[in-house]
Amino acid sequence: MSTTSLPVPDRSPRLREALLAAAFTADGLLDLLGAPAYAALARSETVPALRATRGESPLDTLVRLFLLQHPVPYERARAALPLDACVEDGWVIRAGDEVRAAVDVRPYSGPEAQDWFIVSDLGCAVGGAGGIGSSEEGVVLGVGGASSTLAGITVRTPVASALDLGTGSGIQALHAAQHATRVTATDLNPRALAFTRLTLALSGAAPADLREGSLFEPVDTETYDLIVSNPPFVISPGARLTYRDGGMGGDDLCRTLVQQAGDRLSEGGYAHFLANWQHVEGEEWQDRLRSWVPRDCDAWVVQREVQDITQYAELWLRDSGDHRTHPAEYAARYDAWLDEFEARKTKGVGFGWITLRKSAAAADGNPSVVIEEWPHPVEQPLGAAVEAHFARQDYLRTHDDAALLADHFTLAPEVMQEQVGLPGAEDPEHVVLRQNRGMRRATKVDAVGAGFAGVCDGTLPAGRILDAIAQLMNEDPVLLRDRTPQAIRLLVEEGFLEPVGAA
């Protein structure tokens, strides 16, 4: 594929105005299609949307043209678009009395309800009309679940500089442009950089500094306040598809990205990655991930899912449409994946998030590295929760048990208490604290922990609360002070309690 076949962005403001005037937005699509047809599109089913767009309004025309990628009559296209400019600039192609799309243009709602548009190759919008992937080398995909997840976990404080490494169609660069003074976007595929330029222009965002190259090579030794990457993390035999396959052995691409990120982060800066990692015989996966963390960074790694090697191979063979090839060809590809895993003693593959923060404390030999498995539902966006996690680690790192007992705490908002026990029993078998926001954690506490959390309103120091609980429960206050700080520390670490400082 050649970047010369792509549209030019010079007159994209005119196209943007036409799309907005026709309500070709995320909200407009939902109103036109209805929830069932809208949801069907996410499953790559287009028939309900085709039935819902049989009218002749500009929105019907634009949905068929750009979203469903069906030819539309010339006169209908002219009524919906500045058609001569769109043909000249390469957004659409005229063929006789019909017009067809040259690229996929997909409405996308920003975090503050901005009307954005993601531009990608035809048939390659993830979860869209063309399915979730492609077997064609060099294609550029649109927005999908992975890219939305990465955007949701990213810390969104204002920064001077941000780097979107492996930008694809520019989704992360578009988000970063809202809170970064300067955005740099890189990709090994020059076609991806051209699509990023189109996405930013059509969404009305500031242009980014676009650089071609692999990994951190295009930025050399420059440093950034924010680094985000949804890399080609798939662990596969070879590098057949650059949009998804790492091209290094096993999980080496993700490891290399994480290990090299520390040198490209400014002090206090964050790096967010989606990644796959191997579960290898005779090795704890947590130890594998811990070895990736740069020495001058704190880290929070969350494993969201683990698949055995057969599930993993089948997922990505279907992603590229290999299951639709000749059975013998499919079997050969499947066999090659299993050979690769067997050679590397891989028994499963984990998927999740890796967040780094450049930290002076880590550089001084006191890093905070939290590696956990959390397959449960969460509430996106999580950027604020990620920032709060590292703030809590800073607090705990600088407060010993005595300082903890001298401090004041409040129960975090949205925390509920559940009591579980037999009907009619005098006391519950156990008490659970549950968060209804963010990570939506739940933790079991004993009577002391439940009582302590219940009265934490910031007015009394922790030690005095424990003394009162000891008196009520007829316990030795000294022993209670000795044994309780670790439980308080865990409640703070997981976000159930928030320190407010001494009164």
Side-chain angles (χ1 to χ4, degrees):
M1 290 184 178
S2 169
T3 56
T4 58
S5 64
L6 294 181
V8 294
D10 300 355
R11 290 185 282 189
S12 56
R14 289 187 61 191
L15 174 56
R16 175 176 171 81
E17 289 175 7
L19 299 179
L20 294 177
F24 187 64
T25 63
D27 288 342
L29 289 181
L30 183 57
D31 289 342
L32 174 68
L33 301 180
Y38 192 85
L41 274 181
R43 302 190 300 270
S44 304
E45 296 292 346
T46 61
V47 172
L50 284 169
R51 291 175 61 86
T53 55
R54 289 179 291 193
E56 296 188 2
S57 72
L59 182 54
D60 288 308
T61 300
L62 293 174
V63 171
R64 284 189 166 237
L65 180 65
F66 286 122
L67 204 64
L68 304 177
Q69 290 148 28
H70 275 242
V72 299
Y74 174 82
E75 291 301 326
R76 285 183 57 183
R78 191 172 66 171
L81 293 167
L83 192 55
D84 291 342
C86 287
V87 171
E88 184 178 344
D89 292 348
W91 292 97
V92 297
I93 299 167
R94 181 177 182 181
D97 292 332
E98 289 188 327
V99 173
R100 60 183 175 86
V103 291
D104 185 300
V105 177
R106 197 150 297 245
Y108 180 71
S109 183
E112 297 179 0
Q114 301 99 322
D115 290 317
W116 291 342
F117 300 96
I118 309 302
V119 189
S120 63
D121 270 312
L122 291 172
C124 292
V126 179
I132 64 168
S134 173
S135 60
E136 188 174 359
E137 172 62 9
V139 300
V140 178
L141 302 186
V143 64
S147 50
S148 295
T149 294
L150 179 59
I153 66 171
T154 299
V155 174
R156 295 296 175 192
T157 52
V159 294
S161 58
L163 170 64
D164 176 13
L165 192 153
T167 186
S169 55
I171 300 146
Q172 308 307 324
L174 179 57
H175 278 276
Q178 311 308 304
H179 64 104
T181 304
R182 174 174 60 90
V183 177
T184 301
T186 70
D187 207 289
L188 182 63
N189 182 2
R191 188 175 180 83
L193 299 177
F195 272 117
T196 294
R197 183 179 293 108
L198 295 172
T199 289
L200 293 173
L202 193 57
S203 298
D209 177 7
L210 304 177
R211 305 186 192 182
E212 181 181 345
S214 177
L215 302 180
F216 288 104
E217 291 173 2
V219 301
D220 195 22
T221 59
E222 295 176 46
T223 59
Y224 297 86
D225 303 312
L226 173 67
I227 298 172
V228 291
S229 183
N230 177 18
F233 52 67
V234 176
I235 301 170
S236 62
R240 185 164 61 105
L241 302 173
T242 56
Y243 73 84
R244 69 162 207 197
D245 297 332
M248 296 184 181
D251 52 19
D252 282 356
L253 182 136
C254 292
R255 175 186 57 79
T256 300
L257 271 179
V258 174
Q259 288 180 336
Q260 294 181 357
D263 291 336
R264 273 76 177 190
L265 276 177
S266 306
E267 181 63 28
Y270 288 92
H272 302 274
F273 304 96
L274 298 187
N276 278 182
W277 45 80
Q278 295 165 248
H279 284 229
V280 179
E281 292 180 15
E283 176 187 50
E284 295 294 331
W285 70 268
Q286 295 93 335
D287 292 339
R288 186 179 194 86
L289 271 295
R290 191 170 285 107
S291 72
W292 293 8
V293 178
R295 64 169 185 80
D296 54 358
C297 289
D298 298 323
W300 186 18
V301 180
V302 181
Q303 179 168 272
R304 296 288 289 157
E305 182 181 6
V306 182
Q307 291 185 320
D308 67 45
I309 56 175
T310 59
Q311 291 174 313
Y312 190 79
E314 291 162 13
L315 169 67
W316 294 110
L317 286 168
R318 282 178 167 78
D319 170 81
S320 55
D322 288 309
H323 61 301
R324 293 191 290 266
T325 63
H326 190 276
E329 185 177 345
Y330 173 77
R333 289 196 187 280
Y334 198 152
D335 208 36
W337 283 68
L338 298 185
D339 284 345
E340 175 81 3
F341 288 133
E342 183 177 334
R344 296 183 177 278
K345 298 183 178 180
T346 302
K347 58 183 180 179
V349 178
F351 169 80
W353 323 321
I354 299 175
T355 297
L356 305 177
R357 186 189 60 167
K358 190 74 168 280
S359 162
D364 290 340
N366 188 22
S368 166
V369 179
V370 176
I371 301 175
E372 62 176 320
E373 186 166 17
W374 190 255
H376 312 292
V378 299
E379 183 186 57
Q380 287 275 32
L382 280 168
V386 172
E387 188 177 16
H389 165 88
F390 285 97
R392 293 194 299 268
Q393 297 305 312
D394 287 342
Y395 173 85
L396 293 170
R397 191 158 41 190
T398 56
H399 285 68
D400 60 16
D401 287 354
L404 207 67
L405 293 177
D407 215 342
H408 298 229
F409 300 90
T410 59
L411 190 66
E414 305 294 333
V415 172
M416 303 295 291
Q417 178 177 301
E418 299 176 0
Q419 298 188 85
V420 180
L422 294 174
E426 184 175 345
D427 297 311
E429 293 179 17
H430 60 262
V431 177
V432 174
L433 299 181
R434 187 178 302 277
Q435 300 168 352
N436 291 324
R437 305 293 295 273
M439 292 292 287
R440 294 182 172 173
R441 295 186 186 277
T443 188
K444 189 185 299 184
V445 293
D446 61 12
V448 172
F452 181 86
V455 298
C456 277
D457 60 4
T459 59
L460 293 175
R464 287 187 58 187
I465 294 175
L466 289 180
D467 292 344
I469 291 174
Q471 186 175 6
L472 287 172
M473 300 182 68
N474 198 27
E475 289 203 31
D476 185 328
V478 175
L479 293 178
L480 194 62
R481 278 175 172 255
D482 284 345
R483 77 168 193 259
T484 307
Q486 187 57 39
I488 297 175
R489 195 170 292 274
L490 180 63
L491 290 176
V492 172
E493 181 176 354
E494 295 191 341
F496 291 94
L497 294 179
E498 298 178 349
V500 296

